[in-house]
Amino acid sequence: MPVNKVKFAAFSPEVVEIHEMFRAQPASEHIAKPPTLEALFQVCQANDLKRVLELGGGLGTISRLLLKYSNAQLDIYEHDVYFRDRLRENLAEFTGRYQILSDYRTLPPHRDYDLVVVDGGHSRKDAPGEASGFNAAIWFYLNYLQSAPLVYVEGKRHIQRLWARKAIAKRYIYSLQRFADTEYLGELASGGVLIHKVRSAIFPRRLLNFIFWEIIEGNTVRNHLSFRLRKLTDRFKI
């Protein structure tokens, strides 16, 4: 099982080209960063992707990379009207290979995907209703799908990573391939995590597998200890 974070020494020209194309567009402050694009570019090179589910299309940075460097059909969720319009503009040359779904209350069109990409919503626990609904959708969709051997969560979406791991752990043991933050153009570009479903397993093995990766990820354990410490501190406040 890969435990150490993957750190890219350099980014592929294909990745740099796509990132630069979208970095120049309005509302580009939240586009996928080069470590995520490089990770997904390598996924495209190593796998024969036929169908991909993307939760949160935005401007279409990841969508374009997946369409350009794989033969996959994409189902893209994007609730915002502005970004749906930008998606159609930025993916115009791939018409017929993707569809945009505007409502997260609509189930995915298929139950089998080669890859699920999570790159939308917020990951804060205290985010308002729309964000918490997005987090719940991740858990629900991953439970609904019959097959999705690879799940990629973009950036520092730790709450969304947890929702994804919890959903997968209901049926599977898995491993995490984590991607380190990497400096790009003088700024630290955040990485993400690729979850590899290994196989279905009985409950004790799934539980042990889940606990192992929660310790490796660290955030869940740190958040729990921080919560307990705050509760203890509040209890003894005068």
Side-chain angles (χ1 to χ4, degrees), residues 15-35:
V15 163
V16 173
E17 178 185 17
I18 285 183
H19 184 263
E20 290 304 300
M21 170 187 171
F22 284 88
R23 193 167 71 94
Q25 296 186 19
S28 65
E29 57 269 23
H30 299 299
I31 65 170
K33 302 300 188 288

Short mmCIF file of all heavy atoms in Angstrom, two decimals, residues 15-35:
data_model
loop_
_atom_site.label_atom_id
_atom_site.label_comp_id
_atom_site.label_asym_id
_atom_site.label_seq_id
_atom_site.Cartn_x
_atom_site.Cartn_y
_atom_site.Cartn_z
N VAL A 15 0.04 19.12 -19.03
CA VAL A 15 -0.58 19.66 -17.82
C VAL A 15 -0.39 21.17 -17.73
O VAL A 15 -1.32 21.92 -17.42
CB VAL A 15 0.02 18.95 -16.57
CG1 VAL A 15 -0.28 19.74 -15.29
CG2 VAL A 15 -0.53 17.54 -16.46
N VAL A 16 0.83 21.62 -18.00
CA VAL A 16 1.12 23.06 -17.95
C VAL A 16 0.26 23.81 -18.96
O VAL A 16 -0.29 24.88 -18.66
CB VAL A 16 2.62 23.32 -18.22
CG1 VAL A 16 2.90 24.81 -18.35
CG2 VAL A 16 3.47 22.71 -17.11
N GLU A 17 0.10 23.25 -20.15
CA GLU A 17 -0.71 23.90 -21.19
C GLU A 17 -2.16 24.10 -20.73
O GLU A 17 -2.74 25.19 -20.88
CB GLU A 17 -0.68 23.07 -22.47
CG GLU A 17 -1.53 23.66 -23.60
CD GLU A 17 -1.59 22.75 -24.81
OE1 GLU A 17 -1.26 21.55 -24.69
OE2 GLU A 17 -1.99 23.24 -25.88
N ILE A 18 -2.75 23.05 -20.17
CA ILE A 18 -4.15 23.15 -19.73
C ILE A 18 -4.27 24.11 -18.55
O ILE A 18 -5.18 24.94 -18.50
CB ILE A 18 -4.70 21.75 -19.37
CG1 ILE A 18 -4.98 20.99 -20.67
CG2 ILE A 18 -5.98 21.87 -18.53
CD1 ILE A 18 -5.59 19.62 -20.49
N HIS A 19 -3.35 24.02 -17.60
CA HIS A 19 -3.43 24.92 -16.45
C HIS A 19 -3.31 26.38 -16.87
O HIS A 19 -4.05 27.24 -16.38
CB HIS A 19 -2.34 24.57 -15.43
CG HIS A 19 -2.43 25.38 -14.18
ND1 HIS A 19 -1.67 26.51 -13.96
CD2 HIS A 19 -3.23 25.25 -13.09
CE1 HIS A 19 -1.97 27.03 -12.79
NE2 HIS A 19 -2.91 26.30 -12.23
N GLU A 20 -2.39 26.67 -17.78
CA GLU A 20 -2.21 28.05 -18.24
C GLU A 20 -3.43 28.54 -19.01
O GLU A 20 -3.81 29.71 -18.90
CB GLU A 20 -0.95 28.15 -19.11
CG GLU A 20 0.33 27.98 -18.33
CD GLU A 20 0.45 28.97 -17.19
OE1 GLU A 20 0.43 30.18 -17.46
OE2 GLU A 20 0.53 28.52 -16.03
N MET A 21 -4.07 27.68 -19.76
CA MET A 21 -5.28 28.05 -20.50
C MET A 21 -6.38 28.52 -19.55
O MET A 21 -7.05 29.52 -19.78
CB MET A 21 -5.77 26.85 -21.32
CG MET A 21 -7.15 27.05 -21.94
SD MET A 21 -7.75 25.53 -22.73
CE MET A 21 -9.45 26.01 -23.10
N PHE A 22 -6.55 27.80 -18.44
CA PHE A 22 -7.63 28.13 -17.51
C PHE A 22 -7.23 29.19 -16.50
O PHE A 22 -8.09 29.91 -15.98
CB PHE A 22 -8.11 26.87 -16.81
CG PHE A 22 -8.97 26.00 -17.69
CD1 PHE A 22 -8.40 25.03 -18.50
CD2 PHE A 22 -10.35 26.16 -17.73
CE1 PHE A 22 -9.19 24.24 -19.33
CE2 PHE A 22 -11.14 25.38 -18.55
CZ PHE A 22 -10.56 24.42 -19.36
N ARG A 23 -5.95 29.30 -16.20
CA ARG A 23 -5.48 30.31 -15.24
C ARG A 23 -5.75 31.71 -15.73
O ARG A 23 -5.90 32.65 -14.94
CB ARG A 23 -3.98 30.11 -14.98
CG ARG A 23 -3.44 30.87 -13.78
CD ARG A 23 -2.06 30.37 -13.42
NE ARG A 23 -1.08 30.77 -14.42
CZ ARG A 23 -0.32 31.87 -14.33
NH1 ARG A 23 -0.45 32.68 -13.30
NH2 ARG A 23 0.55 32.15 -15.27
N ALA A 24 -5.83 31.87 -17.05
CA ALA A 24 -6.04 33.19 -17.64
C ALA A 24 -7.51 33.60 -17.70
O ALA A 24 -7.83 34.71 -18.10
CB ALA A 24 -5.43 33.23 -19.04
N GLN A 25 -8.41 32.70 -17.32
CA GLN A 25 -9.84 32.98 -17.45
C GLN A 25 -10.41 33.62 -16.19
O GLN A 25 -9.88 33.43 -15.09
CB GLN A 25 -10.61 31.67 -17.75
CG GLN A 25 -10.24 31.03 -19.08
CD GLN A 25 -11.11 29.84 -19.41
OE1 GLN A 25 -12.20 29.68 -18.87
NE2 GLN A 25 -10.64 29.00 -20.31
N PRO A 26 -11.50 34.40 -16.33
CA PRO A 26 -12.19 34.93 -15.14
C PRO A 26 -12.66 33.79 -14.24
O PRO A 26 -12.95 32.69 -14.71
CB PRO A 26 -13.39 35.69 -15.74
CG PRO A 26 -12.98 35.99 -17.15
CD PRO A 26 -12.13 34.84 -17.59
N ALA A 27 -12.72 34.06 -12.94
CA ALA A 27 -13.17 33.09 -11.93
C ALA A 27 -12.24 31.88 -11.85
O ALA A 27 -12.68 30.77 -11.55
CB ALA A 27 -14.60 32.66 -12.20
N SER A 28 -10.95 32.10 -12.13
CA SER A 28 -10.00 30.98 -12.16
C SER A 28 -9.33 30.72 -10.82
O SER A 28 -8.46 29.85 -10.73
CB SER A 28 -8.92 31.24 -13.22
OG SER A 28 -8.14 32.37 -12.84
N GLU A 29 -9.71 31.46 -9.77
CA GLU A 29 -9.00 31.33 -8.49
C GLU A 29 -9.14 29.95 -7.86
O GLU A 29 -8.34 29.57 -7.01
CB GLU A 29 -9.45 32.42 -7.51
CG GLU A 29 -10.93 32.43 -7.21
CD GLU A 29 -11.72 33.35 -8.16
OE1 GLU A 29 -11.23 33.62 -9.27
OE2 GLU A 29 -12.81 33.78 -7.77
N HIS A 30 -10.16 29.20 -8.26
CA HIS A 30 -10.36 27.89 -7.64
C HIS A 30 -10.17 26.73 -8.61
O HIS A 30 -10.63 25.62 -8.35
CB HIS A 30 -11.77 27.82 -7.04
CG HIS A 30 -12.02 28.83 -5.97
ND1 HIS A 30 -11.29 28.87 -4.81
CD2 HIS A 30 -12.92 29.86 -5.90
CE1 HIS A 30 -11.73 29.87 -4.06
NE2 HIS A 30 -12.72 30.48 -4.69
N ILE A 31 -9.48 26.97 -9.73
CA ILE A 31 -9.27 25.86 -10.68
C ILE A 31 -8.32 24.83 -10.08
O ILE A 31 -7.56 25.12 -9.16
CB ILE A 31 -8.72 26.36 -12.03
CG1 ILE A 31 -7.33 26.97 -11.86
CG2 ILE A 31 -9.68 27.34 -12.69
CD1 ILE A 31 -6.63 27.26 -13.18
N ALA A 32 -8.37 23.62 -10.62
CA ALA A 32 -7.49 22.55 -10.16
C ALA A 32 -6.04 22.94 -10.39
O ALA A 32 -5.68 23.53 -11.42
CB ALA A 32 -7.81 21.26 -10.91
N LYS A 33 -5.21 22.61 -9.42
CA LYS A 33 -3.79 22.97 -9.47
C LYS A 33 -2.99 21.88 -10.19
O LYS A 33 -3.44 20.74 -10.37
CB LYS A 33 -3.27 23.17 -8.05
CG LYS A 33 -4.01 24.24 -7.26
CD LYS A 33 -3.91 25.60 -7.95
CE LYS A 33 -4.47 26.72 -7.08
NZ LYS A 33 -5.94 26.69 -6.97
N PRO A 34 -1.75 22.22 -10.62
CA PRO A 34 -0.94 21.26 -11.37
C PRO A 34 -0.75 19.89 -10.74
O PRO A 34 -0.75 18.89 -11.47
CB PRO A 34 0.39 22.01 -11.54
CG PRO A 34 -0.01 23.45 -11.60
CD PRO A 34 -1.12 23.57 -10.61
N PRO A 35 -0.57 19.76 -9.39
CA PRO A 35 -0.44 18.40 -8.85
C PRO A 35 -1.65 17.51 -9.14
O PRO A 35 -1.51 16.33 -9.44
CB PRO A 35 -0.26 18.64 -7.35
CG PRO A 35 0.33 20.00 -7.25
CD PRO A 35 -0.32 20.79 -8.35
#
